[in-house]
Amino acid sequence: MILGSHNSWSFRWPKKFWQKLLFFTAKCQNKTIQEQYALGVRCFDLRIRFDKNNKPHIVHNSFDYGLLSSVFEDLKWLDEKEDVCIRILHDVRKKKDYTLNNVTQFRALCDAIQVDFPHLKFWCGRNLYNWGVDYKFKYCPTCLEFYSSICPPKIVDDWLPIMYAKLHNKSIKQYYLNDELLSDSILLLDFINI
């Protein structure tokens, strides 16, 4: 089983003032990419959305963590490791935002990022509006996801991802990480250090 971090770049501060006030609801990691790697993470989760000027931003739902170019140093560092995969999601969630232009921009980005970082194994290419495939990568692993926004109970944990991690990460890691039948599968977790 490959350990992965859900919303890997959400340790960064969001760009807008109101997002900073609600940061605790969207923060899924509290370690940098280098620290996550040192903890055994080999799969990272990158969410992309394009602004009105067709510039790609790192996002988690409505939270904007800045331009994709601001994490190129992280991607370059990971590319040098040669044992890393990155899930790329097109983080559009509403019909009005799911446009042909955005899909075209996402596809062009996926083409370019594979050229820029040739040692990284990119995968997924789905959108969050209808879970359709906007870009088909060659690498297609099995993925198990355990984090507050998709696993019950959802009442409090959806607002406090760290609470879900504290209650469940240890048992989830013990159960799945040593399963040899799932050796090529990816386990995505919030707060991988917990």
Side-chain angles (χ1 to χ4, degrees), residues 60-110:
H60 174 200
N61 203 342
S62 359
F63 289 78
D64 185 338
Y65 299 99
L67 290 170
L68 176 62
S69 58
S70 68
V71 300
F72 276 5
E73 286 302 314
D74 288 340
L75 294 175
K76 183 179 176 187
W77 186 84
L78 290 170
D79 190 54
E80 292 169 358
K81 302 299 176 206
E82 299 188 18
D83 64 347
V84 173
C85 58
I86 298 189
R87 176 170 83 164
I88 295 185
L89 285 169
H90 189 191
D91 198 329
V92 271
R93 298 171 186 241
K94 297 176 184 169
K95 185 176 182 176
K96 70 177 183 69
D97 298 326
Y98 189 66
T99 65
L100 179 59
N101 181 58
N102 281 338
V103 173
T104 302
Q105 293 294 327
F106 182 74
R107 289 176 179 159
L109 171 73
C110 291

Side-chain angles (χ1 to χ4, degrees), residues 155-172:
I155 298 168
V156 176
D157 291 340
D158 202 18
W159 282 87
L160 295 169
I162 196 163
M163 180 184 292
Y164 183 88
K166 285 180 178 180
L167 292 172
H168 302 286
N169 275 10
K170 185 177 179 182
S171 61
I172 291 169

Side-chain angles (χ1 to χ4, degrees), residues 1-9 28-29 36 40-47 84-89 121 123-124 128 131 139 141-151 161 164-165 168-170 172-173 176-177 182 184-194:
M1 177 73 55
I2 300 165
L3 181 60
S5 61
H6 170 241
N7 279 303
S8 305
W9 278 268
C28 298
Q29 303 300 330
Q36 290 177 43
V41 172
R42 295 300 180 268
C43 179
F44 297 85
D45 184 23
L46 182 60
R47 314 291 180 103
V84 173
C85 58
I86 298 189
R87 176 170 83 164
I88 295 185
L89 285 169
K121 289 190 275 186
W123 65 285
C124 194
L128 293 174
W131 200 240
Y139 184 54
T142 303
C143 181
L144 301 175
E145 303 179 58
F146 289 97
Y147 41 83
S148 65
S149 57
I150 64 167
C151 295
Y164 183 88
H168 302 286
N169 275 10
K170 185 177 179 182
I172 291 169
K173 286 179 184 178
Y176 287 103
L177 285 179
L182 299 170
D184 293 331
S185 298
I186 295 166
L187 176 63
L188 286 178
L189 298 173
D190 282 341
F191 297 97
I192 49 87
N193 57 304
I194 293 176

